[in-house]
Amino acid sequence: MTIHKTAIVSPKAEIGSGVTIGPFTTIHDNVRIGDNTVVEGYCELGVANNLSAGMPLVIREGSHIRSHSVFYEGSSFGARLVTGHRVTVREKTEAGENLQIGTLSDIQGHCRIGDYVRFHSNVHIGQKSVVGNYVWIFPYVVLTNDPHPPSNILIGATIEDFAVIATMSVVLPGARVAKGCLIGAHSCVKGETEEDSLYIGSPAARVCATSKIKLRDGSGAAYPWRRHFTRGYPDELVRLWTESESVDTPQR
Amino acid sequence: MTIHKTAIVSPKAEIGSGVTIGPFTTIHDNVRIGDNTVVEGYCELGVANNLSAGMPLVIREGSHIRSHSVFYEGSSFGARLVTGHRVTVREKTEAGENLQIGTLSDIQGHCRIGDYVRFHSNVHIGQKSVVGNYVWIFPYVVLTNDPHPPSNILIGATIEDFAVIATMSVVLPGARVAKGCLIGAHSCVKGETEEDSLYIGSPAARVCATSKIKLRDGSGAAYPWRRHFTRGYPDELVRLWTESESVDTPQR
Amino acid sequence: MTIHKTAIVSPKAEIGSGVTIGPFTTIHDNVRIGDNTVVEGYCELGVANNLSAGMPLVIREGSHIRSHSVFYEGSSFGARLVTGHRVTVREKTEAGENLQIGTLSDIQGHCRIGDYVRFHSNVHIGQKSVVGNYVWIFPYVVLTNDPHPPSNILIGATIEDFAVIATMSVVLPGARVAKGCLIGAHSCVKGETEEDSLYIGSPAARVCATSKIKLRDGSGAAYPWRRHFTRGYPDELVRLWTESESVDTPQR
């Protein structure tokens, strides 16, 4: 355990073995940090708030939280969380393993996130969002939740497994981005979508099956992306993704 | 008064009674902080600059400034300002009471903001903006000011009372969002608008009166929102809003 | 040299004369800071990473880095870099003189940036971007790079000299914003563009020559902007820009 002398760490926090805590970081009381995790400088973990119902902030083993990030108590992450800088995560965020959260991203809490999800920089995940597994969300995407703002009715967006949302798109309240969909940049998604389809525009309209999109290097279909993009995924998944015939490739 | 031992507080700053100042926060000379205000950690208040003409930063009583926020000297806020994390507020921002500024929002200064305004996360308020009372601005909205960038002509946007601007919309220089308007997500507003109307698109076009929009729970009209959404407003306002027959409900 | 007593400065870092380093700032080993530079508080300069190939972070003379900014090792800037607050700059960013980077902007690294470039607040410069000289990029603009995300093929955007990209626009992978172009707010640029032209929309379409756009104060053409907007540029450039007949003014 290496705690910088300027860090302020509550004696009530549970800190695992091999944890590193950087300069000027504050760890509040209600925090559990798993083994071999790195928390860089200027972070604040376990911000108390009355919506957490006393639940701790749980960061599991092998995680890496970069500088200037703020996490509230009452959220829980699977192993190997990795963040960029200046990330904000509010209470009641329940996330799976190997989540990546890019610089400046803002997770508003009260949401569920699956395994191996990758949020790029400056993503905004509204309350009540439900994000599946192996999802990619690119910069300046916002998942919204209030169908007639301001109101007391919050209806989160749902992003299914393997879906990809490109830069500066909005997902409207209650919209469902179906399994394997690609939402083009600068789009606004409403209502239901079909699996493995490309949607573009504001409001977003279906263009074609994603399997029609070709890789620019001439090496074949760009989707399902898991057939060719495997960086950072475990070997057993990669084998399943690249060898299996079970991957759907609709051809409409 | 509770000042964390790591905070750097100028003896020239005027700090009220019951104020709390968090770890690693810097309070510069030209700052006045009202009673019972909380300034969390990693903040910097009263950044000196030559556009402030020596005016102080004035934070009034009962305010709460969350961590990693930066305020310049030369701005003034009514009582009970509440901010998220990493807020930036430049000089010559004049705001009323009960302003809320969400995480990552950037107020560029030289602007006026009324009472009970709520900026959600990551809102950008350009110089020369004029924002009325009871306004709501949602994430990733930008109020612009230069009609032909870059130029020396700045024409701010005007947002009138009770207006609502949904996520990822742009308000172009000199545009006026009229009283009670709702701007749909991912829109771009130009020129004049009619009161109590829904605008959508880029450029935004009038769709209907906001009174045509129904609440998803079947309980009636969604607008004027002040008839049903009253969380955080004072009782006398709520009574006025929910009991009065004087609320306009245009039916075109 | 004025280093705040709370700053953590590696003895291996090369710090020039007349440099000021603010409170709670961390300067890592592999950093060179030129004379008369100001680094404000809460910054972290020279973050180590395995993509920098041991190259240092080079900040040249007369620079000013505002609070809460993070720079990785392996990037290099010409003289007189000026940043806002909370800027992030990753490795292998090569930039010219007099670069301005606004508050919250995120330079992803592996990119080239010319002289006198001005990024306003909250700009996102993707990897492999190439930005010329005298370019202006306004808030919430994103330069992207992956034509079929996620993939291993990164094709950066190119922004040529004197081009201007207005608020909340996306430049798609491989797109070229030609010399002197103006991209209107809330646009999405794809493919090639013609010089000195106004493009608007998603996808962005050519509207007219920029020379058709008039200044709102009646004083003449708004473009080329360098004929009338000269704040902050050196005298010899301003003379060239405002006296020369060599500025192109296409009239289609």
Side-chain angles (χ1 to χ4, degrees):
Chain A
M1 204 155 69
T2 311
I3 298 180
H4 195 274
K5 66 184 177 187
T6 60
I8 301 171
V9 179
S10 165
K12 294 182 184 169
E14 297 176 26
I15 314 285
S17 68
V19 167
T20 300
I21 296 177
F24 312 116
T25 277
T26 304
I27 312 285
H28 293 288
D29 296 352
N30 199 10
V31 176
R32 296 179 200 160
I33 301 180
D35 296 349
N36 304 312
T37 286
V38 176
V39 181
E40 296 189 356
Y42 313 94
C43 289
E44 190 181 9
L45 300 195
V47 179
N49 68 94
N50 56 20
L51 299 169
S52 296
M55 299 291 286
L57 169 66
V58 180
I59 304 289
R60 290 195 173 78
E61 68 273 14
S63 295
H64 189 155
I65 296 177
R66 289 200 170 81
S67 68
H68 298 88
S69 291
V70 176
F71 281 71
Y72 281 53
E73 62 172 10
S75 286
S76 169
F77 298 84
R80 294 171 299 281
L81 168 70
V82 175
T83 84
H85 305 275
R86 296 178 245 291
V87 158
T88 311
V89 182
R90 295 285 306 263
E91 71 282 350
K92 295 198 173 170
T93 299
E94 297 294 324
E97 298 189 343
N98 291 82
L99 174 62
Q100 295 183 6
I101 308 177
T103 290
L104 290 169
S105 288
D106 182 359
I107 316 293
Q108 297 265 303
H110 304 264
C111 59
R112 282 185 293 133
I113 299 167
D115 292 331
Y116 286 95
V117 168
R118 294 182 180 178
F119 298 141
H120 208 287
S121 297
N122 216 327
V123 159
H124 181 101
I125 306 297
Q127 290 184 12
K128 306 271 183 185
S129 298
V130 177
V131 177
N133 303 304
Y134 320 110
V135 165
W136 284 82
I137 301 189
F138 284 89
Y140 295 65
V141 165
V142 178
L143 307 191
T144 67
N145 52 30
D146 187 343
H148 25 45
S151 81
N152 291 306
I153 300 170
L154 297 188
I155 307 174
T158 301
I159 316 298
E160 295 185 350
D161 295 358
F162 299 106
V164 178
I165 306 179
T167 297
M168 212 168 302
S169 291
V170 173
V171 182
L172 291 177
R176 175 182 302 266
V177 176
K179 188 183 167 194
C181 274
L182 170 63
I183 308 300
H186 223 275
S187 297
C188 189
V189 183
K190 193 174 169 175
E192 296 292 320
T193 52
E194 289 180 50
E195 286 191 7
D196 296 304
S197 298
L198 168 64
Y199 286 78
I200 293 181
S202 180
R206 186 178 187 279
V207 175
C208 62
T210 55
S211 57
K212 301 271 190 188
I213 305 169
K214 300 302 173 199
L215 285 167
R216 295 281 182 98
D217 64 2
S219 65
Y223 299 89
W225 57 262
R226 61 192 180 275
R227 286 221 187 262
H228 61 85
F229 187 87
T230 58
R231 193 171 58 230
Y233 299 99
D235 289 349
E236 66 273 21
L237 260 185
V238 171
R239 260 195 309 276
L240 185 71
W241 290 354
T242 55
E243 296 174 7
S244 164
E245 291 305 302
S246 70
V247 173
D248 294 296
T249 54
Q251 291 295 342
R252 285 170 302 156
Chain B
M1 203 155 69
T2 311
I3 298 180
H4 195 276
K5 65 183 178 188
T6 59
I8 301 171
V9 179
S10 165
K12 294 183 183 167
E14 297 177 25
I15 313 286
S17 68
V19 168
T20 301
I21 296 176
F24 312 116
T25 277
T26 303
I27 312 285
H28 293 288
D29 296 352
N30 200 10
V31 176
R32 297 179 198 160
I33 300 179
D35 297 348
N36 303 313
T37 287
V38 175
V39 181
E40 296 189 356
Y42 313 93
C43 290
E44 189 181 10
L45 300 195
V47 179
N49 68 94
N50 56 19
L51 299 168
S52 296
M55 299 290 286
L57 169 66
V58 180
I59 304 290
R60 289 195 173 79
E61 68 272 15
S63 295
H64 188 155
I65 296 177
R66 289 201 170 81
S67 68
H68 298 88
S69 292
V70 176
F71 281 70
Y72 281 52
E73 63 171 9
S75 286
S76 169
F77 298 83
R80 294 171 300 281
L81 168 68
V82 174
T83 84
H85 305 276
R86 296 178 242 291
V87 158
T88 312
V89 183
R90 295 285 306 264
E91 71 283 351
K92 295 199 174 169
T93 299
E94 296 294 325
E97 298 189 343
N98 290 82
L99 173 62
Q100 295 183 6
I101 308 177
T103 290
L104 291 170
S105 289
D106 182 0
I107 316 292
Q108 295 265 304
H110 304 264
C111 59
R112 282 185 293 132
I113 299 167
D115 293 331
Y116 286 95
V117 168
R118 295 181 180 179
F119 298 140
H120 208 286
S121 297
N122 215 326
V123 159
H124 181 100
I125 306 297
Q127 290 184 11
K128 306 272 183 185
S129 298
V130 177
V131 178
N133 304 303
Y134 318 111
V135 165
W136 284 82
I137 301 189
F138 284 89
Y140 297 64
V141 166
V142 178
L143 307 191
T144 66
N145 53 29
D146 187 342
H148 25 45
S151 80
N152 291 306
I153 300 170
L154 297 188
I155 308 175
T158 302
I159 316 299
E160 295 186 351
D161 295 358
F162 299 106
V164 178
I165 306 180
T167 297
M168 211 166 308
S169 291
V170 173
V171 183
L172 291 177
R176 174 181 303 267
V177 176
K179 188 183 167 194
C181 273
L182 170 62
I183 308 300
H186 223 276
S187 297
C188 189
V189 183
K190 193 174 169 175
E192 296 292 320
T193 52
E194 289 180 49
E195 287 191 7
D196 296 304
S197 297
L198 169 64
Y199 285 78
I200 293 180
S202 180
R206 186 178 187 279
V207 175
C208 63
T210 55
S211 58
K212 301 271 190 188
I213 304 169
K214 301 303 174 198
L215 285 167
R216 295 282 181 96
D217 65 1
S219 66
Y223 299 89
W225 57 261
R226 61 192 180 275
R227 285 222 187 262
H228 62 85
F229 187 87
T230 58
R231 192 170 61 229
Y233 299 98
D235 289 351
E236 66 274 19
L237 260 185
V238 171
R239 260 195 309 277
L240 185 72
W241 289 353
T242 56
E243 296 174 6
S244 163
E245 292 305 302
S246 70
V247 173
D248 294 296
T249 55
Q251 291 294 342
R252 285 170 302 153
Chain C
M1 205 155 67
T2 312
I3 297 179
H4 195 276
K5 65 183 178 188
T6 60
I8 301 171
V9 180
S10 165
K12 294 183 184 167
E14 296 176 25
I15 313 285
S17 69
V19 167
T20 300
I21 296 176
F24 312 116
T25 278
T26 303
I27 312 284
H28 293 288
D29 296 351
N30 199 10
V31 176
R32 297 180 199 158
I33 301 180
D35 296 348
N36 304 313
T37 287
V38 175
V39 180
E40 296 189 355
Y42 313 93
C43 290
E44 190 182 9
L45 301 195
V47 178
N49 69 94
N50 55 19
L51 298 169
S52 295
M55 298 291 286
L57 169 66
V58 180
I59 304 290
R60 289 195 173 78
E61 67 273 15
S63 294
H64 189 155
I65 296 176
R66 289 200 170 82
S67 68
H68 298 89
S69 292
V70 175
F71 282 70
Y72 281 52
E73 62 171 9
S75 286
S76 168
F77 299 83
R80 294 172 298 281
L81 167 69
V82 175
T83 84
H85 305 275
R86 296 178 244 291
V87 158
T88 311
V89 183
R90 295 285 306 264
E91 71 283 349
K92 295 199 175 170
T93 299
E94 297 293 326
E97 297 190 342
N98 291 84
L99 173 61
Q100 295 184 6
I101 308 176
T103 289
L104 291 170
S105 289
D106 182 359
I107 316 292
Q108 296 265 305
H110 304 264
C111 59
R112 282 186 293 132
I113 299 167
D115 293 331
Y116 286 95
V117 168
R118 295 182 179 177
F119 299 139
H120 208 287
S121 297
N122 216 327
V123 159
H124 181 101
I125 306 296
Q127 290 183 11
K128 306 270 183 186
S129 298
V130 177
V131 177
N133 304 303
Y134 318 112
V135 164
W136 284 83
I137 300 188
F138 284 89
Y140 296 66
V141 166
V142 178
L143 307 191
T144 66
N145 53 29
D146 187 343
H148 25 45
S151 80
N152 290 306
I153 300 171
L154 297 188
I155 308 175
T158 301
I159 317 298
E160 296 186 348
D161 295 358
F162 300 106
V164 178
I165 306 179
T167 297
M168 210 162 313
S169 291
V170 173
V171 182
L172 291 178
R176 175 181 303 267
V177 177
K179 189 184 167 194
C181 274
L182 170 62
I183 308 301
H186 223 275
S187 297
C188 189
V189 183
K190 193 174 169 173
E192 296 292 320
T193 53
E194 290 180 49
E195 287 192 6
D196 295 304
S197 297
L198 169 63
Y199 286 78
I200 293 180
S202 181
R206 187 178 187 277
V207 175
C208 62
T210 55
S211 58
K212 301 270 190 188
I213 305 169
K214 301 301 174 200
L215 285 167
R216 295 281 182 98
D217 65 1
S219 66
Y223 298 89
W225 58 262
R226 60 192 179 276
R227 284 219 187 265
H228 61 84
F229 187 86
T230 58
R231 192 168 63 229
Y233 298 99
D235 289 350
E236 66 274 20
L237 260 185
V238 171
R239 259 195 311 277
L240 184 72
W241 289 353
T242 57
E243 296 174 7
S244 164
E245 291 305 303
S246 70
V247 172
D248 293 296
T249 56
Q251 291 294 343
R252 284 169 302 154

